[in-house]
Amino acid sequence: LSKGRTIIYSTHNPMEAERFSSRVAIMHRGRVVLEGEPRSLVESYTPNPMVEVTLAEGEPLEVGECIMVEKVGRMATYEAWNVTACIESVTRAHEEAGFRVERLEVRRPGLREVFRRVTGAMLG
């Protein structure tokens, strides 16, 4: 549809925006705070991988080898400068606290993390 045309599409879903857009404008409180190609924005503002951890019980802990960027119930997302050290640190800290790690996933960051980094706010 967009060949030779500009389509303006508004969404609150950052994964959708990243997948379907060649350029995005990130808005916060009625103002454009950042714009550019999705991949370039992610590489510039959130270059480090994300480690998502879900616990079988308990509350996610802060750890020394990575920074917690989001916590919702038993799930936490950490930004990892060194993925191996982050995984070891997160796993060890929770095991020592008596909390079993139910799920651990390493993923690349996206526009959701760019929005959080640029605005300091959470999406959805």
Side-chain angles (χ1 to χ4, degrees):
L1 286 174
S2 66
K3 259 196 172 112
R5 297 184 176 121
T6 298
I7 296 174
I8 297 175
Y9 178 75
S10 176
T11 182
H12 287 247
N13 184 328
M15 293 186 309
E16 195 174 84
E18 190 172 345
R19 183 172 177 205
F20 296 118
S21 304
S22 57
R23 290 191 61 77
V24 296
I26 295 177
M27 296 184 71
H28 183 59
R29 297 187 175 161
R31 297 186 186 271
V32 173
V33 294
L34 190 64
E35 62 181 288
E37 296 176 355
R39 196 74 247 143
S40 295
L41 295 177
V42 171
E43 289 170 4
S44 295
Y45 287 88
T46 56
N48 300 314
M50 299 290 146
V51 175
E52 289 185 350
V53 176
T54 303
L55 302 175
E57 69 282 324
E59 187 172 314
L61 305 169
E62 298 282 347
V63 296
E65 296 298 324
C66 41
I67 185 166
M68 186 186 299
V69 294
E70 183 176 18
K71 178 169 67 170
V72 179
R74 295 179 296 117
M75 193 277 297
T77 303
Y78 299 86
E79 182 177 0
W81 296 277
N82 177 319
V83 173
T84 303
C86 180
I87 290 170
E88 290 173 357
S89 182
V90 165
T91 304
R92 187 179 334 95
H94 289 95
E95 285 176 356
E96 288 174 359
F99 303 144
R100 184 175 58 85
V101 174
E102 185 172 82
R103 185 178 147 273
L104 189 140
E105 178 182 341
V106 177
R107 65 172 179 78
R108 69 175 184 83
L111 288 177
R112 178 183 184 94
E113 286 78 24
V114 172
F115 180 85
R116 182 183 307 125
R117 173 78 38 92
V118 171
T119 67
M122 303 289 282
L123 277 172

